[in-house]
Amino acid sequence: MNKILVTYNMFREGFAELESLYDVTFPDDGKDFTYEEVMAVIEDYDALCPMFNFPVNRELLERGTKLRIIANYAVGYDNIDLGYAASKGLTVANTPAPTTDPTANLALALLLDTARRVAECDRKLRSHEARVGVHENFGLPVTGATLGIIGMGRIGKALCKRARACGMDVIYHNRRQLDLNEETKLGATYVSPDELLAQSDFVSLNAPLTPETRHIIGVEQLRRMKPTAILINTSRGQLIDEKALIEALKEGVIHGAGLDMFEFGDYPSDELLTMDNVVLTPHLGTQTAFSRIAMAKAVGNNVIGFFENDRPVSVVR
């Protein structure tokens, strides 16, 4: 029987079928295995199911001599050494489908919140600092504005549909341009990165983290944006040079930002916490119970599909 190692013990409803078929090891309830604990036992397992923040590096892959598949609990996969995994003939899978709608919804929520100053005014009302009147609390328009999407994969396309429903124009940049039929159906126009930054009222980052996309938004890119523009990030924090963003916000180079991910870990730089024109959320992209259980089921389906060849496997390519 195949042995499966899962590095976290949450959302067990989603793993019911996997547990019925294989010998599955979880940590104690509500806990995660540490890297050292996984290193101590990985040589006995055929499949590894890590959380998105668990490092699957060369050292661990060398120790896992029986491993055949790594089924990541995430749409992203920057925690895995893909090159070395490929050199060992390992399959790497992710969970894009269950993450698409909730992450696109959060991106739109951050866009609307930042544009209309919802969180800012809520804080001020609660502290009795808000001023109410016809000349106060002006926000930015959304309907008729232009959204620039960097990364037109599943989440980018889902966000595009939501933005179009709000009456926004959508332009995008992607590694590969979509075919004309899909562009027409989405109502999105392909442009160069420079054109996107210059034309957009809102810029949303929906690209994976790779060596090429790290700091895809830095000093130069921020200065190409409109002074009224808002930057949204629900992808990976390292796509943005956070120090450059802070300076741009201080100097009025751009108007604001809505951030769900941060460059230096789970928390934003202290300076961002003091800015009224920034809306911050703690990696909420898929933080609904329904989505997280669906992601666990998707992890299980990837493992089962790999070993049984009875269902699709979401292979990272």
Side-chain angles (χ1 to χ4, degrees), residues 29-230:
D29 287 347
K31 295 186 177 180
D32 298 337
F33 281 130
T34 66
Y35 178 81
E36 291 73 22
E37 288 171 332
V38 172
M39 280 290 287
V41 299
I42 191 63
E43 61 188 359
D44 296 327
Y45 288 88
D46 304 285
L48 174 65
C49 303
M51 184 62 79
F52 52 78
N53 57 357
F54 186 92
V56 183
N57 56 21
R58 181 177 185 135
E59 183 181 12
L60 188 144
L61 293 174
E62 286 180 344
R63 183 77 63 89
T65 54
K66 292 178 64 179
L67 281 178
R68 296 172 61 192
I69 180 172
I70 302 160
N72 211 34
Y73 184 91
V75 63
Y77 39 82
D78 48 284
N79 59 311
I80 300 169
D81 187 334
L82 289 180
Y84 193 67
S87 74
K88 290 182 67 70
L90 293 171
T91 293
V92 176
N94 64 347
T95 60
T99 66
T100 300
D101 286 335
T103 306
N105 288 340
L106 180 64
L108 181 62
L110 288 171
L111 186 157
L112 294 171
D113 190 331
T114 313
R116 297 306 309 274
R117 302 172 63 182
V118 176
E120 176 193 350
C121 289
D122 177 83
R123 287 192 303 272
K124 289 180 176 179
L125 278 171
R126 292 173 189 272
S127 62
H128 304 287
E129 294 177 1
R131 296 178 62 183
V132 180
V134 295
H135 299 294
E136 307 295 337
N137 308 313
F138 280 97
L140 296 175
V142 172
T143 301
T146 296
L147 170 64
I149 297 176
I150 297 177
M152 196 62 115
R154 289 176 182 249
I155 295 170
K157 291 173 187 175
L159 176 59
C160 176
K161 293 175 183 177
R162 287 156 173 77
R164 295 287 293 156
C166 291
M168 302 183 79
D169 296 322
V170 178
I171 58 179
Y172 78 96
H173 185 77
N174 200 47
R175 286 183 300 175
R176 292 181 293 275
Q177 183 175 356
L178 304 179
D179 65 54
L180 183 59
N181 287 336
E182 190 165 21
E183 282 188 344
T184 302
K185 187 183 297 184
L186 287 168
T189 302
Y190 181 83
V191 295
S192 71
D194 286 349
E195 289 174 313
L196 184 145
L197 294 171
Q199 295 175 23
S200 297
D201 299 296
F202 301 87
V203 174
S204 179
L205 303 182
N206 300 100
L209 177 61
T210 66
E212 292 73 31
T213 61
R214 185 179 184 277
H215 283 190
I216 197 171
I217 299 294
V219 173
E220 293 182 10
Q221 291 75 26
L222 289 161
R223 294 199 176 278
R224 292 193 183 104
M225 294 170 65
K226 297 179 180 180
T228 54
I230 289 174

Side-chain angles (χ1 to χ4, degrees), residues 260-296:
D260 186 51
M261 302 289 283
F262 314 105
E263 181 177 3
F264 304 111
D266 292 333
Y267 295 92
S269 301
D270 288 344
E271 289 156 294
L272 290 172
L273 299 173
T274 67
M275 296 180 175
D276 284 332
N277 58 339
V278 178
V279 177
L280 306 167
T281 53
H283 198 177
L284 294 183
T286 57
Q287 282 286 56
T288 70
F290 178 87
S291 299
R292 288 302 176 104
I293 292 169
M295 288 173 67

